[in-house]
Amino acid sequence: MKILIIEDEAKTADYLAGGLGEAGYSVDHADNGIDGLHMARETPYDLILLDVMLPGLDGWAVMQKLRAQTRTPVLFLSARGTLEDRLRGLELGADEYLVKPFSFAELLARIRIILRRGQAQPDEEILSLGDLRLDLGKHRCERAGMRIDLTSKEFKLLACFLQHPEQVLSRTFLASRVWDMNFDSDTNVVDVAVRRLRQKVDEPFAVRLIHTVHGVGYRCELEA
């Protein structure tokens, strides 16, 4: 699980990163709102920890811009603890609002609840992009009304793309999500799987959905 911390106080950020790392999470950090928003847009995170009082762009603005593009779970961590502040954060689309100072044990508990909540939703959803539909419950894929047979890994790979539309997914991220493994630069397992998936969901159709971002990874989106 990958978490982004957007926090300008260095000591707080180090404390969070250290504790979350010991708990088994992979952590990135941005010390201002502009960089944090850019990182959140470019990298698929499982959760974002967001401060309110940030240089460059405050947490309210970051939250508003994020919700215009993504449903990545967000947990506000802020010293601003009035009822109005908490309600504002939740109304902007945050999943939780935790007031500083807080217990790290409580933070971990809230993180686990949010992540479990996010994992429970996909099984009930039909993912789609353009004329492509992926029914996770029935394990069924269709494009333009045509049934497409996928292997279990191809299905999981396509689901990963559709759960992160228009985001660049690195080979490392795909390997960890689809194969539950660390990416080895000497293996081409991800590239081979993407090529086979394209042969089934892209090549027979006029509009391509899976695009290569050279030197970075892949992105799933409708061509302009």
Side-chain angles (χ1 to χ4, degrees), residues 204-222:
F205 304 92
V207 178
R208 299 293 180 92
L209 300 178
I210 303 172
H211 309 278
T212 301
V213 181
H214 294 289
V216 184
Y218 298 95
R219 176 170 52 211
C220 190
E221 65 178 350
L222 287 169

Side-chain angles (χ1 to χ4, degrees), residues 81-88:
T82 67
L83 177 60
E84 290 77 11
D85 286 325
R86 286 179 282 142
L87 289 177
R88 184 180 182 183

Side-chain angles (χ1 to χ4, degrees), residues 62-94:
V62 172
M63 183 75 252
Q64 192 168 27
K65 291 177 182 297
L66 278 176
R67 279 298 171 260
Q69 292 183 302
T70 178
R71 291 304 306 169
T72 301
V74 174
L75 194 165
F76 267 115
L77 297 176
S78 176
R80 298 182 58 156
T82 67
L83 177 60
E84 290 77 11
D85 286 325
R86 286 179 282 142
L87 289 177
R88 184 180 182 183
L90 296 173
E91 287 170 357
L92 284 172

Side-chain angles (χ1 to χ4, degrees), residues 26-194:
S26 174
V27 179
D28 287 338
H29 171 234
D31 62 6
N32 65 81
I34 294 174
D35 288 345
L37 179 61
H38 175 75
M39 292 170 68
R41 285 171 167 171
E42 293 299 315
T43 302
Y45 290 97
D46 296 288
L47 177 69
I48 297 170
L49 301 183
L50 178 61
D51 190 15
V52 173
M53 303 303 293
L54 294 167
L57 199 66
D58 68 29
W60 307 131
V62 172
M63 183 75 252
Q64 192 168 27
K65 291 177 182 297
L66 278 176
R67 279 298 171 260
Q69 292 183 302
T70 178
R71 291 304 306 169
T72 301
V74 174
L75 194 165
F76 267 115
L77 297 176
S78 176
R80 298 182 58 156
T82 67
L83 177 60
E84 290 77 11
D85 286 325
R86 286 179 282 142
L87 289 177
R88 184 180 182 183
L90 296 173
E91 287 170 357
L92 284 172
D95 296 79
E96 290 278 358
Y97 194 110
L98 191 58
V99 179
K100 301 176 182 176
F102 52 83
S103 159
F104 191 77
E106 181 183 0
L107 173 63
L108 275 181
R110 294 201 186 196
I111 287 174
R112 287 165 180 156
I113 289 171
I114 293 172
L115 294 178
R116 282 200 303 269
R117 189 186 304 156
Q119 289 172 341
Q121 292 173 353
D123 290 338
E124 303 170 358
E125 293 181 354
I126 294 178
L127 304 175
S128 64
L129 181 65
D131 57 0
L132 175 67
R133 288 170 55 87
L134 197 68
D135 189 322
L136 299 181
K138 296 180 180 178
H139 207 271
R140 182 184 180 94
C141 177
E142 292 182 353
R143 184 162 186 193
M146 296 173 54
R147 176 75 175 268
I148 299 175
D149 292 323
L150 302 175
T151 67
S152 61
K153 291 299 183 187
E154 289 167 349
F155 191 93
K156 196 171 182 180
L157 179 61
L158 183 56
C160 191
F161 279 128
L162 294 179
Q163 287 164 347
H164 301 88
E166 300 184 7
Q167 296 187 43
V168 180
L169 306 183
S170 68
R171 291 171 177 82
T172 301
F173 177 82
L174 292 171
S176 65
R177 286 303 183 88
V178 179
W179 288 269
D180 298 319
M181 62 180 245
N182 293 322
F183 181 70
D184 184 346
S185 59
D186 293 330
T187 181
N188 64 347
V189 62
V190 176
D191 297 318
V192 170
V194 171

